[in-house]
Amino acid sequence: EEQLSVGSSEYVRRHRSELSEQGGFVFNIDSVGSPMGWFEVCASGPGSMIRFVEESLSEYGVYARGNEGVMPYADHFPFAAAGIPGLTVMRHNCASGRFFHHRPDDDLSRVSAPLIAKLVDAAARCAVTYAEGAPAPFPGSIPDEQRREIRSCWEDLFGGWNGEARARQQT
């Protein structure tokens, strides 16, 4: 999972056609348990998606700063490569990102269960609001400029849609 979103990229490769037919968006939660810090929404999709998520989270007292663009090192990225808008919510607790992230002292003593519960409740409400919305609260597409950058990163980092086969052929 931590090796360049292997699980999500494999899932998207196997289910790409049905994902394209179903539409929707991806809401990924990762590294959010720190009791201190600030939330960031890293999104590949329309600006209105970021605003929708920021507003939905704030109703639960979860305040996040949104960044529109391409983040290939998060599990929503392979979905974005397939044309599905998506985002990852993270919590930074120091200038370089997350202080206890992937270290021996990264244990449950560094996690706030109530904070995670609040974020999951907010995310669930966001998903229900999106699913029940008619019309949807934002377009189900990715802006052209982002799509070009996503395609470039997908080809470069993941080997494109046949990346697995290409990697096996090289060995």
Side-chain angles (χ1 to χ4, degrees):
E1 185 271 331
E2 293 296 340
Q3 303 303 317
L4 197 58
S5 303
V6 172
S8 60
S9 63
E10 183 62 23
Y11 179 86
V12 171
R13 280 189 172 102
R14 290 183 186 191
H15 301 280
R16 182 178 174 199
S17 62
E18 46 193 279
L19 289 168
S20 296
E21 292 171 13
Q22 293 171 359
F25 83 111
V26 173
F27 194 120
N28 182 48
I29 300 171
D30 196 351
S31 303
V32 297
S34 176
M36 61 181 184
W38 60 96
F39 288 103
E40 182 178 12
V41 176
C42 299
S44 294
S48 53
M49 178 180 72
I50 295 171
R51 288 186 295 283
F52 168 73
V53 170
E54 287 175 337
E55 290 170 11
S56 297
L57 295 177
S58 72
E59 290 174 15
Y60 283 78
V62 176
Y63 301 98
R65 176 180 56 196
N67 289 317
E68 187 177 331
V70 177
M71 182 186 189
Y73 307 107
D75 286 315
H76 76 274
F77 179 76
F79 292 88
I84 309 294
L87 57 93
T88 294
V89 176
M90 296 179 292
R91 186 168 175 88
H92 301 283
N93 60 17
C94 68
S96 64
R98 290 167 298 281
F99 184 71
F100 295 105
H101 193 66
H102 293 261
R103 294 174 17 160
D105 55 353
D106 183 5
D107 59 29
L108 289 177
S109 71
R110 315 279 187 224
V111 172
S112 169
L115 179 66
I116 293 171
K118 185 173 17 174
L119 179 60
V120 169
D121 285 346
R125 182 75 234 147
C126 182
V128 167
T129 301
Y130 178 84
E132 293 177 347
F138 56 85
S141 60
I142 297 174
D144 289 341
E145 184 176 307
Q146 286 182 31
R147 276 192 295 162
R148 286 189 291 275
E149 188 177 350
I150 289 166
R151 185 173 31 252
S152 176
C153 288
W154 181 247
E155 292 288 330
D156 184 44
L157 297 172
F158 290 81
W161 290 109
N162 296 316
E164 294 295 318
R166 192 177 305 163
R168 277 189 235 116
Q169 290 172 355
Q170 293 174 352
T171 58

